[in-house]
Amino acid sequence: MTAAAKSIYYFGIYLIVLGVALTVSPNFLLTTFRIAETSEIWIRVLGAVVFNLGLYYMLMAPSNHTLFLTLSIYTRGLILLWFVVFVAIGWAPVQLILFGLVDGAGALWTMNSLRKK
């Protein structure tokens, strides 16, 4: 795998771990980051979606498909932007930006790796 593909693969692992945490024990994760607990099903639904996205990332990484790698840069950057907007308009606590920063950092890693290719 190229360095860009490895960045996607490792990001996929992060998404799978995050997805499992959100699905199995969301309130542990939320309280760890000082976000209010919830009993809503939507946090677990999100966990299932995040888990599945992680599978896409891990399974696509070995193909080193340039379009997928490039699209992941934009979509992960957008996640950071969305989270900043959610916090700015008062829909989410500031801690949510931490999760967006992981996405943003991963996007930068992939982008820099593609440029060195």
Side-chain angles (χ1 to χ4, degrees), residues 65-91:
H65 194 278
T66 304
L67 179 59
F68 182 79
L69 297 172
T70 303
L71 287 173
S72 79
I73 294 167
Y74 293 110
T75 57
R76 290 182 286 164
L78 281 171
I79 286 295
L80 175 56
L81 179 64
W82 280 114
F83 289 1
V84 167
V85 169
F86 293 164
V87 170
I89 61 178
W91 288 356

PDB file of all heavy atoms in Angstrom, residues 65-91:
ATOM      1  N   HIS A  65      -7.036   3.373  -4.891  1.00  0.00           N
ATOM      2  CA  HIS A  65      -7.844   4.053  -5.906  1.00  0.00           C
ATOM      3  C   HIS A  65      -7.764   5.563  -5.678  1.00  0.00           C
ATOM      4  O   HIS A  65      -8.257   6.075  -4.676  1.00  0.00           O
ATOM      5  CB  HIS A  65      -9.292   3.555  -5.821  1.00  0.00           C
ATOM      6  CG  HIS A  65     -10.124   3.921  -6.984  1.00  0.00           C
ATOM      7  ND1 HIS A  65     -10.710   5.154  -7.103  1.00  0.00           N
ATOM      8  CD2 HIS A  65     -10.451   3.219  -8.096  1.00  0.00           C
ATOM      9  CE1 HIS A  65     -11.384   5.200  -8.230  1.00  0.00           C
ATOM     10  NE2 HIS A  65     -11.238   4.043  -8.853  1.00  0.00           N
ATOM     11  N   THR A  66      -7.164   6.263  -6.612  1.00  0.00           N
ATOM     12  CA  THR A  66      -6.891   7.689  -6.442  1.00  0.00           C
ATOM     13  C   THR A  66      -8.163   8.501  -6.226  1.00  0.00           C
ATOM     14  O   THR A  66      -8.177   9.431  -5.408  1.00  0.00           O
ATOM     15  CB  THR A  66      -6.112   8.235  -7.652  1.00  0.00           C
ATOM     16  OG1 THR A  66      -4.922   7.452  -7.813  1.00  0.00           O
ATOM     17  CG2 THR A  66      -5.711   9.683  -7.446  1.00  0.00           C
ATOM     18  N   LEU A  67      -9.232   8.181  -6.943  1.00  0.00           N
ATOM     19  CA  LEU A  67     -10.476   8.935  -6.768  1.00  0.00           C
ATOM     20  C   LEU A  67     -11.007   8.773  -5.341  1.00  0.00           C
ATOM     21  O   LEU A  67     -11.405   9.753  -4.710  1.00  0.00           O
ATOM     22  CB  LEU A  67     -11.530   8.501  -7.780  1.00  0.00           C
ATOM     23  CG  LEU A  67     -12.882   9.204  -7.673  1.00  0.00           C
ATOM     24  CD1 LEU A  67     -12.737  10.712  -7.834  1.00  0.00           C
ATOM     25  CD2 LEU A  67     -13.850   8.641  -8.708  1.00  0.00           C
ATOM     26  N   PHE A  68     -11.000   7.547  -4.825  1.00  0.00           N
ATOM     27  CA  PHE A  68     -11.466   7.327  -3.453  1.00  0.00           C
ATOM     28  C   PHE A  68     -10.593   8.089  -2.465  1.00  0.00           C
ATOM     29  O   PHE A  68     -11.102   8.741  -1.542  1.00  0.00           O
ATOM     30  CB  PHE A  68     -11.485   5.831  -3.112  1.00  0.00           C
ATOM     31  CG  PHE A  68     -11.995   5.562  -1.729  1.00  0.00           C
ATOM     32  CD1 PHE A  68     -13.355   5.570  -1.467  1.00  0.00           C
ATOM     33  CD2 PHE A  68     -11.125   5.317  -0.680  1.00  0.00           C
ATOM     34  CE1 PHE A  68     -13.841   5.339  -0.181  1.00  0.00           C
ATOM     35  CE2 PHE A  68     -11.600   5.084   0.606  1.00  0.00           C
ATOM     36  CZ  PHE A  68     -12.957   5.095   0.850  1.00  0.00           C
ATOM     37  N   LEU A  69      -9.285   8.020  -2.647  1.00  0.00           N
ATOM     38  CA  LEU A  69      -8.372   8.722  -1.743  1.00  0.00           C
ATOM     39  C   LEU A  69      -8.642  10.221  -1.772  1.00  0.00           C
ATOM     40  O   LEU A  69      -8.704  10.873  -0.719  1.00  0.00           O
ATOM     41  CB  LEU A  69      -6.920   8.443  -2.133  1.00  0.00           C
ATOM     42  CG  LEU A  69      -6.450   6.990  -2.046  1.00  0.00           C
ATOM     43  CD1 LEU A  69      -5.055   6.849  -2.642  1.00  0.00           C
ATOM     44  CD2 LEU A  69      -6.485   6.484  -0.634  1.00  0.00           C
ATOM     45  N   THR A  70      -8.835  10.764  -2.964  1.00  0.00           N
ATOM     46  CA  THR A  70      -9.092  12.199  -3.108  1.00  0.00           C
ATOM     47  C   THR A  70     -10.433  12.586  -2.505  1.00  0.00           C
ATOM     48  O   THR A  70     -10.531  13.589  -1.781  1.00  0.00           O
ATOM     49  CB  THR A  70      -9.041  12.594  -4.595  1.00  0.00           C
ATOM     50  OG1 THR A  70      -7.764  12.216  -5.125  1.00  0.00           O
ATOM     51  CG2 THR A  70      -9.247  14.081  -4.777  1.00  0.00           C
ATOM     52  N   LEU A  71     -11.463  11.822  -2.783  1.00  0.00           N
ATOM     53  CA  LEU A  71     -12.782  12.127  -2.211  1.00  0.00           C
ATOM     54  C   LEU A  71     -12.761  12.083  -0.692  1.00  0.00           C
ATOM     55  O   LEU A  71     -13.426  12.881  -0.029  1.00  0.00           O
ATOM     56  CB  LEU A  71     -13.838  11.163  -2.748  1.00  0.00           C
ATOM     57  CG  LEU A  71     -14.266  11.386  -4.194  1.00  0.00           C
ATOM     58  CD1 LEU A  71     -15.177  10.259  -4.660  1.00  0.00           C
ATOM     59  CD2 LEU A  71     -14.946  12.727  -4.357  1.00  0.00           C
ATOM     60  N   SER A  72     -11.980  11.172  -0.135  1.00  0.00           N
ATOM     61  CA  SER A  72     -11.912  11.079   1.326  1.00  0.00           C
ATOM     62  C   SER A  72     -11.302  12.337   1.932  1.00  0.00           C
ATOM     63  O   SER A  72     -11.660  12.716   3.043  1.00  0.00           O
ATOM     64  CB  SER A  72     -11.121   9.837   1.753  1.00  0.00           C
ATOM     65  OG  SER A  72      -9.723  10.067   1.653  1.00  0.00           O
ATOM     66  N   ILE A  73     -10.410  12.981   1.207  1.00  0.00           N
ATOM     67  CA  ILE A  73      -9.824  14.233   1.696  1.00  0.00           C
ATOM     68  C   ILE A  73     -10.919  15.279   1.844  1.00  0.00           C
ATOM     69  O   ILE A  73     -11.037  15.939   2.880  1.00  0.00           O
ATOM     70  CB  ILE A  73      -8.714  14.723   0.747  1.00  0.00           C
ATOM     71  CG1 ILE A  73      -7.538  13.755   0.753  1.00  0.00           C
ATOM     72  CG2 ILE A  73      -8.263  16.139   1.137  1.00  0.00           C
ATOM     73  CD1 ILE A  73      -6.533  13.982  -0.361  1.00  0.00           C
ATOM     74  N   TYR A  74     -11.731  15.423   0.806  1.00  0.00           N
ATOM     75  CA  TYR A  74     -12.802  16.419   0.842  1.00  0.00           C
ATOM     76  C   TYR A  74     -13.865  16.089   1.887  1.00  0.00           C
ATOM     77  O   TYR A  74     -14.309  16.967   2.625  1.00  0.00           O
ATOM     78  CB  TYR A  74     -13.451  16.556  -0.538  1.00  0.00           C
ATOM     79  CG  TYR A  74     -12.518  17.152  -1.560  1.00  0.00           C
ATOM     80  CD1 TYR A  74     -12.015  16.386  -2.596  1.00  0.00           C
ATOM     81  CD2 TYR A  74     -12.123  18.487  -1.481  1.00  0.00           C
ATOM     82  CE1 TYR A  74     -11.151  16.927  -3.532  1.00  0.00           C
ATOM     83  CE2 TYR A  74     -11.256  19.040  -2.412  1.00  0.00           C
ATOM     84  CZ  TYR A  74     -10.777  18.243  -3.434  1.00  0.00           C
ATOM     85  OH  TYR A  74      -9.921  18.793  -4.363  1.00  0.00           O
ATOM     86  N   THR A  75     -14.280  14.834   1.951  1.00  0.00           N
ATOM     87  CA  THR A  75     -15.360  14.498   2.886  1.00  0.00           C
ATOM     88  C   THR A  75     -14.909  14.596   4.335  1.00  0.00           C
ATOM     89  O   THR A  75     -15.674  15.037   5.194  1.00  0.00           O
ATOM     90  CB  THR A  75     -15.941  13.097   2.602  1.00  0.00           C
ATOM     91  OG1 THR A  75     -14.894  12.118   2.662  1.00  0.00           O
ATOM     92  CG2 THR A  75     -16.605  13.055   1.230  1.00  0.00           C
ATOM     93  N   ARG A  76     -13.678  14.232   4.612  1.00  0.00           N
ATOM     94  CA  ARG A  76     -13.191  14.358   5.988  1.00  0.00           C
ATOM     95  C   ARG A  76     -12.988  15.816   6.366  1.00  0.00           C
ATOM     96  O   ARG A  76     -13.252  16.220   7.500  1.00  0.00           O
ATOM     97  CB  ARG A  76     -11.920  13.538   6.198  1.00  0.00           C
ATOM     98  CG  ARG A  76     -12.232  12.045   6.165  1.00  0.00           C
ATOM     99  CD  ARG A  76     -11.021  11.206   6.418  1.00  0.00           C
ATOM    100  NE  ARG A  76     -10.155  11.217   5.247  1.00  0.00           N
ATOM    101  CZ  ARG A  76      -8.882  10.835   5.269  1.00  0.00           C
ATOM    102  NH1 ARG A  76      -8.320  10.424   6.386  1.00  0.00           N
ATOM    103  NH2 ARG A  76      -8.159  10.855   4.165  1.00  0.00           N
ATOM    104  N   GLY A  77     -12.548  16.630   5.422  1.00  0.00           N
ATOM    105  CA  GLY A  77     -12.454  18.068   5.671  1.00  0.00           C
ATOM    106  C   GLY A  77     -13.820  18.678   5.926  1.00  0.00           C
ATOM    107  O   GLY A  77     -13.986  19.545   6.791  1.00  0.00           O
ATOM    108  N   LEU A  78     -14.814  18.206   5.188  1.00  0.00           N
ATOM    109  CA  LEU A  78     -16.181  18.698   5.382  1.00  0.00           C
ATOM    110  C   LEU A  78     -16.737  18.330   6.754  1.00  0.00           C
ATOM    111  O   LEU A  78     -17.498  19.103   7.335  1.00  0.00           O
ATOM    112  CB  LEU A  78     -17.105  18.178   4.281  1.00  0.00           C
ATOM    113  CG  LEU A  78     -17.017  18.924   2.961  1.00  0.00           C
ATOM    114  CD1 LEU A  78     -17.809  18.182   1.880  1.00  0.00           C
ATOM    115  CD2 LEU A  78     -17.521  20.346   3.109  1.00  0.00           C
ATOM    116  N   ILE A  79     -16.372  17.163   7.253  1.00  0.00           N
ATOM    117  CA  ILE A  79     -16.832  16.781   8.597  1.00  0.00           C
ATOM    118  C   ILE A  79     -16.344  17.809   9.607  1.00  0.00           C
ATOM    119  O   ILE A  79     -17.113  18.260  10.464  1.00  0.00           O
ATOM    120  CB  ILE A  79     -16.354  15.355   8.967  1.00  0.00           C
ATOM    121  CG1 ILE A  79     -17.155  14.313   8.199  1.00  0.00           C
ATOM    122  CG2 ILE A  79     -16.460  15.104  10.477  1.00  0.00           C
ATOM    123  CD1 ILE A  79     -18.637  14.265   8.544  1.00  0.00           C
ATOM    124  N   LEU A  80     -15.077  18.186   9.510  1.00  0.00           N
ATOM    125  CA  LEU A  80     -14.561  19.215  10.421  1.00  0.00           C
ATOM    126  C   LEU A  80     -15.358  20.503  10.264  1.00  0.00           C
ATOM    127  O   LEU A  80     -15.769  21.106  11.264  1.00  0.00           O
ATOM    128  CB  LEU A  80     -13.076  19.457  10.170  1.00  0.00           C
ATOM    129  CG  LEU A  80     -12.431  20.593  10.967  1.00  0.00           C
ATOM    130  CD1 LEU A  80     -12.615  20.408  12.467  1.00  0.00           C
ATOM    131  CD2 LEU A  80     -10.957  20.713  10.611  1.00  0.00           C
ATOM    132  N   LEU A  81     -15.611  20.913   9.042  1.00  0.00           N
ATOM    133  CA  LEU A  81     -16.386  22.132   8.801  1.00  0.00           C
ATOM    134  C   LEU A  81     -17.790  22.030   9.386  1.00  0.00           C
ATOM    135  O   LEU A  81     -18.256  22.950  10.067  1.00  0.00           O
ATOM    136  CB  LEU A  81     -16.461  22.423   7.304  1.00  0.00           C
ATOM    137  CG  LEU A  81     -17.261  23.663   6.911  1.00  0.00           C
ATOM    138  CD1 LEU A  81     -16.621  24.924   7.465  1.00  0.00           C
ATOM    139  CD2 LEU A  81     -17.390  23.734   5.401  1.00  0.00           C
ATOM    140  N   TRP A  82     -18.473  20.918   9.144  1.00  0.00           N
ATOM    141  CA  TRP A  82     -19.822  20.719   9.705  1.00  0.00           C
ATOM    142  C   TRP A  82     -19.808  20.832  11.220  1.00  0.00           C
ATOM    143  O   TRP A  82     -20.662  21.482  11.820  1.00  0.00           O
ATOM    144  CB  TRP A  82     -20.383  19.350   9.318  1.00  0.00           C
ATOM    145  CG  TRP A  82     -20.959  19.267   7.949  1.00  0.00           C
ATOM    146  CD1 TRP A  82     -20.481  18.539   6.903  1.00  0.00           C
ATOM    147  CD2 TRP A  82     -22.150  19.906   7.454  1.00  0.00           C
ATOM    148  NE1 TRP A  82     -21.289  18.703   5.797  1.00  0.00           N
ATOM    149  CE2 TRP A  82     -22.320  19.532   6.114  1.00  0.00           C
ATOM    150  CE3 TRP A  82     -23.076  20.771   8.034  1.00  0.00           C
ATOM    151  CZ2 TRP A  82     -23.383  19.991   5.346  1.00  0.00           C
ATOM    152  CZ3 TRP A  82     -24.136  21.233   7.264  1.00  0.00           C
ATOM    153  CH2 TRP A  82     -24.273  20.844   5.942  1.00  0.00           C
ATOM    154  N   PHE A  83     -18.838  20.167  11.857  1.00  0.00           N
ATOM    155  CA  PHE A  83     -18.785  20.171  13.314  1.00  0.00           C
ATOM    156  C   PHE A  83     -18.533  21.577  13.859  1.00  0.00           C
ATOM    157  O   PHE A  83     -19.110  21.968  14.876  1.00  0.00           O
ATOM    158  CB  PHE A  83     -17.738  19.189  13.829  1.00  0.00           C
ATOM    159  CG  PHE A  83     -18.115  17.728  13.644  1.00  0.00           C
ATOM    160  CD1 PHE A  83     -19.311  17.346  13.040  1.00  0.00           C
ATOM    161  CD2 PHE A  83     -17.264  16.722  14.055  1.00  0.00           C
ATOM    162  CE1 PHE A  83     -19.655  16.009  12.866  1.00  0.00           C
ATOM    163  CE2 PHE A  83     -17.594  15.381  13.898  1.00  0.00           C
ATOM    164  CZ  PHE A  83     -18.784  15.028  13.304  1.00  0.00           C
ATOM    165  N   VAL A  84     -17.687  22.341  13.186  1.00  0.00           N
ATOM    166  CA  VAL A  84     -17.447  23.722  13.603  1.00  0.00           C
ATOM    167  C   VAL A  84     -18.737  24.531  13.475  1.00  0.00           C
ATOM    168  O   VAL A  84     -19.095  25.305  14.378  1.00  0.00           O
ATOM    169  CB  VAL A  84     -16.301  24.355  12.781  1.00  0.00           C
ATOM    170  CG1 VAL A  84     -16.242  25.862  12.978  1.00  0.00           C
ATOM    171  CG2 VAL A  84     -14.968  23.716  13.153  1.00  0.00           C
ATOM    172  N   VAL A  85     -19.462  24.352  12.382  1.00  0.00           N
ATOM    173  CA  VAL A  85     -20.736  25.056  12.191  1.00  0.00           C
ATOM    174  C   VAL A  85     -21.729  24.657  13.277  1.00  0.00           C
ATOM    175  O   VAL A  85     -22.394  25.514  13.867  1.00  0.00           O
ATOM    176  CB  VAL A  85     -21.316  24.789  10.782  1.00  0.00           C
ATOM    177  CG1 VAL A  85     -22.751  25.283  10.665  1.00  0.00           C
ATOM    178  CG2 VAL A  85     -20.437  25.437   9.723  1.00  0.00           C
ATOM    179  N   PHE A  86     -21.835  23.352  13.568  1.00  0.00           N
ATOM    180  CA  PHE A  86     -22.765  22.889  14.600  1.00  0.00           C
ATOM    181  C   PHE A  86     -22.468  23.550  15.945  1.00  0.00           C
ATOM    182  O   PHE A  86     -23.379  23.922  16.680  1.00  0.00           O
ATOM    183  CB  PHE A  86     -22.709  21.369  14.751  1.00  0.00           C
ATOM    184  CG  PHE A  86     -23.226  20.597  13.573  1.00  0.00           C
ATOM    185  CD1 PHE A  86     -22.924  19.246  13.447  1.00  0.00           C
ATOM    186  CD2 PHE A  86     -23.998  21.177  12.582  1.00  0.00           C
ATOM    187  CE1 PHE A  86     -23.393  18.514  12.369  1.00  0.00           C
ATOM    188  CE2 PHE A  86     -24.466  20.457  11.493  1.00  0.00           C
ATOM    189  CZ  PHE A  86     -24.165  19.115  11.387  1.00  0.00           C
ATOM    190  N   VAL A  87     -21.191  23.670  16.273  1.00  0.00           N
ATOM    191  CA  VAL A  87     -20.800  24.313  17.533  1.00  0.00           C
ATOM    192  C   VAL A  87     -21.086  25.806  17.460  1.00  0.00           C
ATOM    193  O   VAL A  87     -21.646  26.387  18.396  1.00  0.00           O
ATOM    194  CB  VAL A  87     -19.309  24.044  17.850  1.00  0.00           C
ATOM    195  CG1 VAL A  87     -18.830  24.904  19.004  1.00  0.00           C
ATOM    196  CG2 VAL A  87     -19.090  22.559  18.152  1.00  0.00           C
ATOM    197  N   ALA A  88     -20.758  26.437  16.340  1.00  0.00           N
ATOM    198  CA  ALA A  88     -20.929  27.885  16.199  1.00  0.00           C
ATOM    199  C   ALA A  88     -22.387  28.320  16.335  1.00  0.00           C
ATOM    200  O   ALA A  88     -22.673  29.381  16.895  1.00  0.00           O
ATOM    201  CB  ALA A  88     -20.363  28.353  14.860  1.00  0.00           C
ATOM    202  N   ILE A  89     -23.318  27.490  15.841  1.00  0.00           N
ATOM    203  CA  ILE A  89     -24.730  27.884  15.935  1.00  0.00           C
ATOM    204  C   ILE A  89     -25.413  27.332  17.184  1.00  0.00           C
ATOM    205  O   ILE A  89     -26.620  27.509  17.357  1.00  0.00           O
ATOM    206  CB  ILE A  89     -25.514  27.505  14.654  1.00  0.00           C
ATOM    207  CG1 ILE A  89     -25.511  26.006  14.407  1.00  0.00           C
ATOM    208  CG2 ILE A  89     -24.984  28.261  13.458  1.00  0.00           C
ATOM    209  CD1 ILE A  89     -26.309  25.578  13.182  1.00  0.00           C
ATOM    210  N   GLY A  90     -24.634  26.677  18.034  1.00  0.00           N
ATOM    211  CA  GLY A  90     -25.160  26.242  19.316  1.00  0.00           C
ATOM    212  C   GLY A  90     -25.852  24.892  19.322  1.00  0.00           C
ATOM    213  O   GLY A  90     -26.527  24.550  20.284  1.00  0.00           O
ATOM    214  N   TRP A  91     -25.680  24.120  18.282  1.00  0.00           N
ATOM    215  CA  TRP A  91     -26.306  22.798  18.230  1.00  0.00           C
ATOM    216  C   TRP A  91     -25.499  21.715  18.934  1.00  0.00           C
ATOM    217  O   TRP A  91     -26.029  20.650  19.241  1.00  0.00           O
ATOM    218  CB  TRP A  91     -26.516  22.359  16.784  1.00  0.00           C
ATOM    219  CG  TRP A  91     -27.597  23.084  16.051  1.00  0.00           C
ATOM    220  CD1 TRP A  91     -28.452  24.028  16.537  1.00  0.00           C
ATOM    221  CD2 TRP A  91     -27.943  22.912  14.680  1.00  0.00           C
ATOM    222  NE1 TRP A  91     -29.298  24.461  15.565  1.00  0.00           N
ATOM    223  CE2 TRP A  91     -29.010  23.790  14.401  1.00  0.00           C
ATOM    224  CE3 TRP A  91     -27.450  22.108  13.661  1.00  0.00           C
ATOM    225  CZ2 TRP A  91     -29.595  23.867  13.145  1.00  0.00           C
ATOM    226  CZ3 TRP A  91     -28.033  22.197  12.408  1.00  0.00           C
ATOM    227  CH2 TRP A  91     -29.091  23.073  12.165  1.00  0.00           C
TER     228      TRP A  91
END
